Amino acid sequence: MMTKVVKFGGSSLASAEQFKKVADIIHAEDSRRYVVPSAPGKRFSEDTKVTDMLYACYDLAAKGKSFDEAFEKIKERYNGIIEGLGLDLDLTDEFNIVKACFIGKAGRDYAASRGEYLNGIVLAKYLGYEFVDAADIIFFKETGEFDAERTQKAVAERLIGIDRAVVPGFYGSMPNDTIKTFSRGGSDITGSIVAAGVGADLYENWTDVSGFLISDPRIVKDPLPINTITYKELRELSYMGAGVLHEDAIFPVRKAGIAINIKNTNAPDDPGTMIVESTSQKPQFTITGIAGKKGFTVVNIEKDMMNSELGFGRRVLEVFEKNGISFEHMPSGIDTMSIVVHQTEFEPKEQEILSGLHRNVHPDSIDIETDLALIAVVGRAMKSARGTAGRIFSALAHAHVNVKMIDQGSSELNIIIGVAEKDFEAAIKSIYEIFVVHQL
Ligand code: ADP
Ligand code: ASP
Ligand code: MG
């Protein structure tokens, strides 16, 4: 029998109504045997995700303030779902344990993880599936790193004997049995780990959009979905902020050769996006996707003939390394070298870095530009298409966007463009226009 692991995001499980859609999807195919839920997300745009409610509630508890009211609101979210589904389930004992652990200062990770934990209990009950606590099968090392080896073994051992199970997303346990979560959006990672662990045929990731879209729908109106994308392309896009799938969710399934299908809970018949190792499918457009992030600083270093000075680059990077700053990009010319870093990391170390650079490489000048946004234009077809960079430039010039930096990856899979933050949205829209709208 085929086995699919299905992960449902917060908006897919935000209310009883959404739970019903989820159950319909699961029941529609016998192969959908292992289910990974997120915590209840937003029901409408101004709503608050349960995860955020839990963080806020725990922060009150940790400061010794009264958190009863905030806690009641969280209980209401779950009880609303339970009632709406007409379930014979009482979470009072569970709520009391969580409350006692808040008072006992069990930690922010513990607090946040309860969102998925409780939702997993509700979903398991509703589906009639067994509930398997992620704390028993997903492990972190002492260092806080994910323990892939131990986890893989535990997931396989525990789940393969169970026909159908619900495993809550987002968290696992430390060697001392405390709870640790992945970073935000981490239920995607749990789904991937479970899929690899049980050797699934497919990892379906159900969300609120009909697949990975060519661009962020909050910037471009109704962008087209991508039919098929490779892991490599996706990695570039999710690293650069395309929020659909957590950037670390790719690794476990990729290693196991399992494809991911991004699907829409609210439009289950839409094909969504297939994420695969490689494909012979020709992409519809020269570019596969566009993504970007704000909040970067560029340090431009100028020195005549720097390219012939042995060890120049190493001495520059040494300064950043000593200050604990990793760099994002490093475009360079004959007499210039630019280091792109995260603004929030750079700011507190700015003066140490400047004096370190003067000492180490004696530059002619250093200038710093802040409030930069980076945009990644990604596509496996760019390699064989001539003039891609030229088309990007002309689109940006047309939109009156000044390009501050450009860097092409050696794989020719992506082109990174630096623009002022104020131009970010206009730049993305203009690139979408020229490569997608004009090609339709
Ligand atoms: P979930 O709660 O299901 O995990 P997320 O909020 O994490 O869902 O991810 C889905 C959201 O990602 C979409 O609603 C959309 O607003 C946003 N998003 C950003 N970039 C993209 C993109 N390129 N394609 C699709 N969605 C995107
Ligand atoms: N509930 C967690 C979050 O809001 C994890 C997830 O949704 O994937 O970040
Ligand atoms: Mg998500």
Side-chain angles (χ1 to χ4, degrees):
M1 186 184 25
M2 276 259 284
T3 297
K4 289 185 184 175
V5 169
V6 288
K7 177 260 172 182
F8 290 89
S11 54
S12 303
L13 293 164
S15 63
E17 241 181 308
Q18 291 297 89
F19 264 70
K20 288 180 186 164
K21 293 185 193 165
V22 165
D24 286 344
I25 290 166
I26 293 171
H27 293 140
E29 274 190 35
D30 215 31
S31 57
R32 295 183 174 134
R33 296 169 53 206
Y34 302 103
V35 184
V36 175
S38 286
K42 294 183 181 191
R43 291 160 294 185
F44 40 90
S45 62
E46 306 77 37
D47 201 11
T48 311
K49 289 180 165 193
V50 165
T51 309
D52 292 309
M53 297 170 84
L54 285 160
Y55 279 125
C57 182
Y58 182 76
D59 289 345
L60 290 172
K63 284 185 206 138
K65 293 191 183 157
S66 159
F67 63 92
D68 286 345
E69 202 179 315
F71 201 80
E72 284 306 312
K73 293 220 168 88
I74 295 166
K75 283 164 67 175
E76 277 166 23
R77 288 293 304 263
Y78 290 100
N79 288 335
I81 294 170
I82 292 170
E83 275 163 36
L85 296 174
L87 286 180
D88 176 22
L89 176 69
D90 182 359
L91 288 179
T92 308
D93 290 346
E94 293 289 351
F95 289 141
N96 287 340
I97 294 170
V98 175
K99 200 161 189 185
C101 291
F102 274 34
I103 294 166
K105 305 209 165 95
R108 283 190 107 222
D109 279 24
Y110 167 81
S113 76
R114 296 306 88 181
E116 292 25 45
Y117 172 82
L118 295 168
N119 223 23
I121 294 177
V122 178
L123 185 61
K125 176 84 183 174
Y126 186 48
L127 294 171
Y129 281 24
E130 185 165 336
F131 174 79
V132 175
D133 190 350
D136 298 337
I137 54 171
I138 293 191
F139 303 113
F140 293 91
K141 298 179 190 167
E142 205 74 66
T143 52
E145 254 176 296
F146 169 59
D147 189 342
E149 219 171 295
R150 198 177 156 215
T151 299
Q152 177 93 6
K153 224 173 123 226
V155 170
E157 267 173 22
R158 181 73 195 270
L159 293 183
I160 285 173
I162 303 177
D163 195 31
R164 287 159 199 284
V166 171
V167 182
F170 193 36
Y171 72 97
S173 58
M174 292 288 287
N176 66 1
D177 284 342
T178 55
I179 297 286
K180 181 175 163 58
T181 65
F182 293 109
S183 57
R184 293 301 303 266
S187 298
D188 291 333
I189 309 175
T190 310
S192 179
I193 292 167
V194 171
V198 300
D201 297 287
L202 184 67
Y203 169 27
E204 285 180 346
N205 188 296
W206 292 82
T207 182
D208 60 355
V209 277
S210 287
F212 210 104
L213 308 174
I214 294 176
S215 183
D216 190 329
R218 291 161 294 191
I219 299 174
V220 173
K221 193 165 175 292
D222 298 330
L224 293 175
I226 300 167
N227 303 330
T228 307
I229 184 171
T230 63
Y231 290 130
K232 268 195 196 148
E233 291 172 305
L234 182 89
R235 170 118 180 89
E236 298 285 347
L237 290 171
S238 42
Y239 183 72
M240 283 302 278
V244 207
L245 192 75
H246 192 293
E247 64 191 78
D248 293 338
I250 298 164
F251 301 113
V253 280
R254 182 178 186 174
K255 241 174 143 179
I258 301 166
I260 307 174
N261 190 3
I262 309 272
K263 297 270 287 176
N264 189 348
T265 300
N266 305 315
D269 293 333
D270 287 356
T273 300
M274 285 300 292
I275 306 166
V276 298
E277 177 67 48
S278 65
T279 174
S280 57
Q281 260 205 36
K282 289 263 176 314
Q284 196 181 353
F285 307 103
T286 308
I287 61 161
T288 303
I290 316 160
K293 269 194 209 170
K294 292 181 177 175
F296 293 95
T297 293
V298 206
V299 182
N300 295 309
I301 303 163
E302 259 194 71
K303 186 175 185 183
D304 283 344
M305 310 278 285
M306 71 160 66
N307 65 329
S308 57
E309 197 177 314
L310 205 63
F312 187 90
R314 178 182 52 74
R315 287 198 299 279
V316 166
L317 293 182
E318 193 179 70
V319 176
F320 286 86
E321 185 181 346
K322 277 200 177 132
N323 284 284
I325 309 266
S326 59
F327 70 93
E328 286 296 304
H329 291 281
M330 190 180 60
S332 62
I334 306 172
D335 302 321
T336 62
M337 183 168 167
S338 303
I339 313 286
V340 183
V341 290
H342 284 277
Q343 195 151 329
T344 47
E345 288 173 21
F346 176 76
E347 268 167 6
K349 293 286 173 72
E350 179 186 270
Q351 293 309 315
E352 283 95 323
I353 290 175
L354 287 186
S355 59
L357 287 173
H358 278 286
R359 226 177 305 126
N360 257 21
V361 295
H362 310 289
D364 296 335
S365 70
I366 301 180
D367 111 283
I368 298 176
E369 259 186 275
T370 56
D371 302 323
L372 193 84
L374 294 183
I375 296 168
V377 183
V378 177
R380 60 188 184 277
M382 289 188 338
K383 204 189 273 192
S384 49
R386 260 176 300 137
T388 308
R391 286 171 75 192
I392 295 175
F393 278 125
S394 79
L396 293 175
H398 211 78
H400 305 288
V401 171
N402 183 13
V403 177
K404 307 246 177 206
M405 183 209 95
I406 184 154
D407 194 11
Q408 177 158 30
S410 51
S411 62
E412 291 183 58
L413 192 67
N414 65 356
I415 294 177
I416 307 284
I417 303 141
V419 301
E421 282 182 358
K422 67 170 177 47
D423 291 335
F424 180 66
E425 284 82 9
I428 291 188
K429 279 186 196 145
S430 70
I431 297 169
Y432 183 84
E433 286 274 317
I434 200 157
F435 285 101
V436 181
V437 180
H438 291 182
Q439 299 303 312
L440 283 174

